[in-house]
Amino acid sequence: MPVGGALEALEFYRSRLDAEGNVRPWDVDDLAEFAGHGDPFAGRVAPGDRPTLSFQLEVPEEPVVWIGAEPAEVYAWSMALEQSLRLWGLGPGDTLALFDYGSSPLVLLSSSAYLPYLGQGAAQRLGVTTVCSDGVANAADRMAETVEMLDPAAIVLRAELVVPLAGALRRRGVRLRCRWVALCCSEGAPRRVEAHACEQALQVPTRRVLRADAAFVLAPECPTCDRFHLDSDLYRLETVQGAVTVTTLFARRCPSHRYLLGAAGADSPGCPAAPDSWRVRWD
């Protein structure tokens, strides 16, 4: 529940509660519509309240939409990234190259160099060194140079950068030797066909990342079961009228109850790699 009161105290949720007090599912478009009336936090932060940390969502058009959190909540968010990197086998001495926007949670949550409030970021806690380059196509040559110089163990890559990076590597005569590439986009997950195309273009195994920044959601595609894992200590998954929704348990300053996960489908927990995790399909 939000700090200082129940969901009824927050304007965004007040109109979304049914007679039993259940929240009607919503998505980022609902936030944008609400934010268009002059509140960049879209009614999810108590009037007059200002979170210690605020993040602007990557939405394609105006209006600007923000989410807010306290340091402990951001640390909990970073635990989802830590679990992702651990699931994918990164550990002490490895280097992770991040080819994504500097405002992406995959970057911000990885190291206190990008977000000092963390104390230690997700990669740091695993003994992993991170290097970041802007996730734009015209930086592909710099990305290829980074790969050539550092030979990273793994790469996080925006889906639209696969072709530019493959071309830049080819021009430099560099062959990727990393264990995997994690493909991401700003909302939801890249399609499975995009992951297959990435594997063909870069000749390395490809994982996918599921993101819903408006709800502080970050989930890795498991190499064991090919499903996205959401830690049950951080998230609660529900199916509401046939749609998969997620509630973020640590989000209190800017609550996230029953966020719609778009094209996702839900599977029962039980993967050997993380038996208690919620599992999500995304084709």
Side-chain angles (χ1 to χ4, degrees):
M1 301 300 290
V3 173
L7 288 179
E8 292 90 337
L10 301 179
E11 192 174 355
F12 178 76
Y13 285 108
R14 195 179 305 134
S15 63
R16 309 193 73 82
L17 292 171
D18 63 21
E20 287 75 38
N22 297 313
V23 176
R24 188 170 75 253
W26 54 279
D27 61 16
V28 72
D29 290 334
D30 294 306
L31 288 182
E33 181 180 352
F34 207 100
H37 298 293
D39 178 4
F41 289 104
R44 285 202 296 161
V45 171
D49 195 8
R50 283 295 174 266
T52 300
L53 296 166
S54 299
F55 306 91
Q56 183 177 336
L57 296 182
E58 186 186 333
V59 293
E61 298 176 355
E62 297 289 339
V64 171
V65 183
W66 293 78
I67 57 174
E70 296 305 308
E73 296 169 306
V74 174
Y75 188 90
W77 195 9
S78 78
M79 289 175 61
L81 177 58
E82 180 182 347
Q83 291 161 1
S84 302
L85 300 180
R86 184 182 290 111
L87 180 69
W88 291 333
L90 287 192
D94 288 333
T95 298
L96 173 65
L98 301 157
F99 299 148
D100 195 359
Y101 294 161
S103 58
S104 164
L106 293 164
V107 174
L108 289 175
L109 302 176
S110 67
S111 171
S112 60
Y114 311 126
L115 191 62
Y117 279 96
L118 282 172
Q120 276 196 321
Q124 289 173 301
R125 298 196 295 268
L126 294 174
V128 174
T129 300
T130 57
V131 59
C132 179
S133 181
D134 286 340
V136 291
N138 60 15
D141 286 326
R142 186 164 69 243
M143 297 175 203
E145 183 180 13
T146 299
V147 169
E148 184 176 22
M149 294 179 63
L150 298 181
D151 192 20
I155 294 173
V156 169
L157 183 68
R158 292 182 69 90
E160 65 267 27
L161 298 179
V162 171
V163 172
L165 177 58
L169 291 170
R170 188 166 52 251
R171 289 192 296 273
R172 296 183 71 90
V174 176
R175 181 179 176 84
L176 278 184
R177 299 189 302 171
C178 59
R179 296 176 213 156
W180 48 259
V181 169
L183 210 59
C184 65
C185 55
S186 59
E187 176 70 20
R191 293 174 301 155
R192 197 177 296 276
V193 66
E194 293 177 275
H196 290 161
C198 179
E199 288 190 341
Q200 291 180 343
L202 300 179
Q203 294 295 295
V204 293
T206 299
R207 313 294 182 216
R208 296 180 294 162
V209 182
L210 173 63
R211 278 174 55 187
D213 298 353
F216 306 95
V217 170
L218 196 158
E221 184 178 35
C222 175
T224 299
C225 69
D226 292 328
R227 300 293 187 261
F228 295 91
H229 286 191
L230 288 92
D231 190 305
S232 57
D233 290 331
L234 302 177
Y235 306 106
R236 182 175 70 246
L237 214 64
E238 299 175 90
T239 300
V240 180
Q241 296 179 343
V244 178
T245 73
V246 60
T247 293
T248 302
L249 303 178
F250 58 82
R252 299 176 63 85
R253 182 68 74 184
C254 186
S256 176
H257 286 245
R258 287 188 165 181
Y259 183 84
L260 282 165
L261 282 181
D267 281 358
S268 300
C271 174
D276 296 328
S277 291
W278 303 104
R279 296 197 299 160
V280 168
R281 302 187 308 275
W282 194 291
D283 295 326

